[in-house]
């Protein structure tokens, strides 16, 4: 849900901006101790159910879903091998995860992954590097896999707010997460 | 004597440059979110310039009605590799550009990267308040992000220029 920005929203912004960033040494310690990234089986099951419901009239669903999952897993393997230390969580983000999409509409419907990164910044250079090493050579004309980044602080603040407002489903579906 | 109408590819190209200039001005004034909004539109207009240069109408222009085997009629755009269904004008532009672009040209590499993370969602996030996660456009985009995005798009514009006589 989006609204044009109004002045009344500024209080929320100040509160969010005041959220303290983690101290560098504690962040480094956290990265050392991080459990490994694992495919979230429950997340994939939920995604499959949502997509299946949106594809009730699509006889090609099983084949298309299998292909989509193979593409996602290729992207995840690359993310893990190239950026594993930086990543906290990968979430299926947007309408395809929240409501499901008819897979026959690909590549025109959005298939977006939100990558939550462990640092306190998400510089343009990181977007470019992730695009370069993970998303540009997937070689699938039928699916354009896109991504966005959020820092862990942004994710935590946004998640807490969504839960408080009772709209947790808007957070998307976790597909790759740290086990433990 | 009235001037001749500008060729479509030039119209799109210069509109793209205009968006990039607006983006630059906003960035200098500290509005990273507005800068990203115009940068996104600059990117779209530059894609459109290549589409127009190859003689195709730029979506949402140019759609025709397509009759499916099921009997249903849908809107679609003519494209070299068949019709592109009109689900989403932004994605239709990307798909049409992808079929028309020269993958050996320098601009293709930049396009191939930018299309994966400069998304329709950025168009929305750079303009609107995200109420579900309490995120304002200025939360989403830093000046540093805008300062790095703009040179990448300016370079893309220079490379696309070879397609716009």
């Amino acid at each position: 849900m989006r609204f044009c920005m109004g002045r009344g929203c500024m209080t929320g912004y100040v509160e969010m901006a005041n959220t303290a960033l983690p101290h560098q040494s504690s962040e480094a310690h956290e990265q050392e101790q991080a459990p490994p990234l694992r495919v979230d089986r429950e997340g994939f099951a939920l995604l499959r159910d949502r997509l299946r419901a949106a594809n009730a009239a699509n006889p090609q669903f099983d084949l298309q879903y299998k292909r989509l999952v193979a593409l996602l897993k290729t992207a995840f393997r690359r993310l893990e091998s190239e950026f594993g230390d930086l990543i906290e969580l990968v979430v299926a983000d947007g309408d395809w995860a929240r409501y499901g999409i008819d897979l026959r509409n690909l590549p025109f419907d959005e298939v977006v992954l939100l990558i939550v990164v462990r640092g306190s910044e998400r510089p343009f250079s990181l977007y470019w590097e992730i695009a370069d090493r993970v998303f540009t050579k997937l070689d699938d004309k039928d699916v354009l896999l896109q991504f966005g980044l959020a820092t862990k602080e942004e994710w935590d603040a946004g998640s807490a707010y969504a839960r408080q407002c009772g709209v947790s489903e808007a957070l998307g579906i976790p597909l790759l997460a740290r086990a433990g | 004597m009235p001037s001749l109408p500008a060729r479509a590819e030039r119209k799109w190209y210069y509109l793209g440059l205009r968006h990039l200039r607006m983006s630059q001005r906003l960035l200098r004034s500290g509005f990273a979110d507005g800068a990203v909004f115009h940068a996104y539109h600059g990117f779209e207009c530059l894609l459109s310039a290549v589409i127009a240069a190859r003689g195709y109408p730029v979506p949402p222009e140019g759609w025709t009605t397509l009759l499916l085997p099921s009997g249903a009629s849908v809107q679609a755009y003519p494209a070299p590799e068949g019709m592109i269904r009109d689900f989403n004008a932004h994605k239709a532009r990307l798909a049409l550009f992808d079929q028309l672009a020269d993958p050996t040209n320098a601009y293709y590499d930049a396009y191939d990267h930018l299309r994966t993370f400069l998304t329709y969602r950025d168009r929305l996030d750079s303009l609107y308040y995200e109420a579900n996660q309490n995120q304002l456009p200025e939360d989403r985009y830093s000046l540093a992000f805008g300062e790095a995005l703009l040179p990448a798009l300016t370079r893309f514009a220079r490379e696309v220029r070879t397609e716009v006589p």
Side-chain angles (χ1 to χ4, degrees):
Chain A
M1 188 195 297
R2 287 182 174 80
F3 298 106
C4 279
M5 188 175 68
R7 298 190 69 83
C9 304
M10 293 308 287
T11 310
Y13 169 62
V14 171
E15 282 166 6
M16 196 163 169
N18 282 345
T19 306
L21 298 178
H23 190 271
Q24 281 219 325
S25 61
S26 69
E27 196 174 294
H29 177 73
E30 208 176 276
Q31 288 190 8
E32 280 166 23
Q33 300 296 317
L37 282 166
R38 292 271 185 265
V39 167
D40 188 318
R41 290 180 190 283
E42 283 180 26
F44 265 97
L46 180 57
L47 180 66
R48 187 194 55 224
D49 290 347
R50 292 223 174 125
L51 289 173
R52 188 181 292 283
N55 284 267
N58 175 9
Q60 299 296 311
F61 172 72
D62 287 331
L63 195 63
Q64 288 176 321
Y65 177 73
K66 201 172 160 186
R67 199 166 149 191
L68 175 63
V69 169
L71 193 69
L72 289 170
K73 288 189 173 171
T74 301
F76 291 169
R77 271 195 300 275
R78 292 182 187 176
L79 278 170
E80 275 188 84
S81 66
E82 300 286 335
F83 301 97
D85 293 345
L86 288 177
I87 293 169
E88 178 67 20
L89 179 68
V90 180
V91 176
D93 186 35
D95 288 354
W96 76 291
R98 190 168 180 186
Y99 307 110
I101 51 170
D102 188 329
L103 295 182
R104 290 174 295 185
N105 294 351
L106 293 175
F108 303 106
D109 278 345
E110 309 260 310
V111 179
V112 181
L113 297 173
L114 179 68
I115 302 169
V116 180
V117 293
R118 309 189 74 212
S120 55
E121 291 177 357
R122 43 181 174 85
F124 181 82
S125 56
L126 183 58
Y127 283 85
W128 194 271
E129 283 299 307
I130 292 177
D132 191 58
R133 293 196 228 162
V134 178
F135 290 89
T136 56
K137 294 166 193 81
L138 289 170
D139 294 329
D140 192 316
K141 284 266 183 191
D142 291 336
V143 185
L144 172 58
L145 200 53
Q146 296 177 301
F147 73 98
L149 300 181
T151 65
K152 189 165 184 312
E153 291 76 23
E154 288 171 327
W155 172 256
D156 287 345
S159 308
Y161 187 83
R163 284 194 198 95
Q164 194 184 331
C165 297
V167 287
S168 303
E169 72 281 1
L171 293 170
I173 300 175
L175 298 180
L176 188 69
R178 298 221 168 256
Chain B
M1 187 173 152
S3 59
L4 289 171
R7 293 171 56 158
E9 63 268 31
R10 289 188 187 174
K11 183 189 76 172
W12 284 111
Y13 186 77
Y14 287 105
L15 189 54
L17 293 187
R18 190 166 188 273
H19 275 297
L20 297 187
R21 282 199 300 275
M22 287 191 278
S23 178
Q24 182 69 66
R25 297 269 176 102
L26 286 164
L27 207 52
R28 279 193 206 132
S29 305
F31 296 106
D33 47 343
V36 170
F37 178 77
H38 282 286
Y40 171 89
H41 282 287
F43 179 56
E44 274 214 327
C45 289
L46 295 168
L47 298 179
S48 301
V50 174
I51 294 169
R54 298 292 165 95
Y56 282 82
V58 173
E61 296 295 320
W63 60 266
T64 58
T65 302
L66 178 67
L67 192 64
L68 297 178
S70 65
S73 62
V74 295
Q75 293 176 356
Y77 303 102
E81 295 174 19
M83 302 296 277
I84 293 175
R85 294 273 297 273
D86 181 21
F87 292 114
N88 171 324
H90 171 68
K91 283 297 191 71
R93 285 187 205 200
L94 285 175
L96 195 49
F97 178 91
D98 206 51
Q99 292 184 25
L100 295 167
D102 174 3
T104 65
N105 191 307
Y107 65 70
Y108 194 87
D109 184 62
Y111 152 77
D112 201 26
H113 285 69
L114 290 165
R115 69 171 169 165
T116 65
F117 65 85
L118 196 55
T119 66
Y120 188 70
R121 172 86 185 250
D122 288 303
R123 182 193 181 281
L124 301 176
D125 283 350
S126 60
L127 192 59
Y128 300 118
Y129 167 50
E130 219 302 355
N132 288 327
Q133 295 180 53
N134 191 32
Q135 196 165 48
L136 287 164
E138 63 259 44
D139 297 333
R140 190 74 198 120
Y141 303 99
S142 67
L143 281 175
F145 180 86
E147 282 163 359
L149 172 64
L150 204 52
L153 283 168
T154 305
R155 195 166 53 248
F156 179 63
R158 259 200 313 275
E159 291 163 352
V160 162
R161 181 73 180 85
T162 59
E163 294 275 1
V164 183

